[in-house]
Amino acid sequence: MERLRIQTQRFHDSFRSSAEQPTWRGLAIVTLAVILIKLVVVAAGVCAAHHGTLSRRDYEQNSHHHKLISRWQDPQDIRFFDLWVASDAQWYNAIAEQGYPTREQFDTGSPVYNPKLIAEKDTQLKYAFFPLWGLTIRAMQTLFSDVHAAGFIAANILSLAALLILYGFMCHRAGPQTAFWTVVLYVASPFGLFLHVPFTESLFLLLAVLTFVACERGSWWLTGVCVGLGVVTRPNGIAMSVIPAAFVFVEVIRQPGWLRGQFPRALGILVAVVPLALFLWHNAAQTGNAYVFAEVINW
Amino acid sequence: MWANLWHNTYETALSYSGLPWHGFHRSQLDFTVLALSSLVWLVGLRVLPLHYSIYSLAILTIPLLTKGDLMSFSRYALPAWPLFLVPVLMVRETFRAWTFAVLSILFLFFQILNVSEFVNWHWVG
């Protein structure tokens, strides 16, 4: 145990050796870098849509759709906000506009036809998609009524916010140069495109980074809020609950007796159960089974 | 749960050469991302604070334990942001600008390939 404590302290000290406060100039540069990368990716996407080849097989057979877009009838009818809505994004848009089905609305084997509309085919699968991202799109629709526009704009605002908070957090922990390249590598990474399209990744990243920040600042109620919201963002959002548990484990090893000083403030983390409890209550009210998502995901 | 882990790691590694490069349920790309992420995670044990490594491990293992295939694994791994900190910490400060400018451009090239598929309704993740 003593060896583990010394090693944990060594990591802690070496990691903080070049830590600094983020400057406005640094924040401006990282904002420009992130926006530039987003613009390059979006421009490349628009270009590829005009010059690439559509996979009608994927559109018709492999995905469910909230709405059939005009490009399905006419491949030349390319609308900017429609480009970014595929696979899971269709489900979240459907949840944003129609909510979850009751058990009576479950699809019990209607004829298979393609492309499949979520409102008619496999309706119960909506429960595999947790509610917070759909609610976020719904909230954004108060400003942008088009669901595709609302999702795209929300994803990009949230991912930019997440990356700026990550930069500031990393400046404090490892210095501005490390922070800058971590953020740039992250947003440029091959699957970083999911930070620009209306999937859950932007919201989840924001909540994960905020959980780290809240833990290290000892703000237990904020940790609880972020973990609770992360858990109802996506099924594997349960990973968020690992952050405070691991943080407490590390601090207890590093400073025996640390935990005693955290009570009763640490009880604020219990707020984390509220979002999941509300989701379970909603599921029970809609379908008679609070764990209906486990049924449809086959957990 | 453990059967999923066994299938998604050991059995998928054995059948790697027979997998399509990128597909809905079966994909060399998703397994490659899993292998690279695992490698970076192991290196990260030496340079990251322990709770960063534990969080990354949870992000990587939950899909492996709960799903019967690697569908969308590359996307599920994205929130493991501490893994992107590992290479930055491994390179000396004097070499960072060039090293990561080149790596970011290379990454961006692959992201553009992915977005080109995505907007034309091909499966990405």
Side-chain angles (χ1 to χ4, degrees), chain A residues 20-24 26-28 30-31 34 156-176 178-180 182-184 186 202-217 222 226, chain B residues 52 81:
Chain A
E20 284 176 29
Q21 293 281 345
T23 60
W24 286 110
L27 281 167
V30 83
T31 305
V34 170
N156 281 285
I157 290 173
L158 293 179
S159 60
L160 180 61
L163 293 164
L164 289 180
I165 294 169
L166 179 60
Y167 172 78
F169 177 57
M170 280 292 99
C171 279
H172 278 297
R173 302 289 278 118
T178 305
F180 176 80
T182 302
V183 168
V184 168
Y186 187 76
S202 305
L203 177 60
F204 191 78
L205 177 68
L206 177 65
L207 293 168
V209 173
L210 281 174
T211 305
F212 276 99
V213 174
C215 276
E216 299 200 5
R217 289 189 172 184
L222 182 59
C226 293
Chain B
Y52 290 29
W81 63 266

Side-chain angles (χ1 to χ4, degrees), chain A residues 11 58 71 88 178 186 189, chain B residues 46 75 78 96 111 119:
Chain A
F11 280 147
D58 278 327
R71 194 173 173 212
D88 289 12
T178 305
Y186 187 76
S189 64
Chain B
R46 297 196 63 83
R75 178 165 66 82
L78 187 64
R96 276 184 192 164
Q111 187 176 149
V119 296

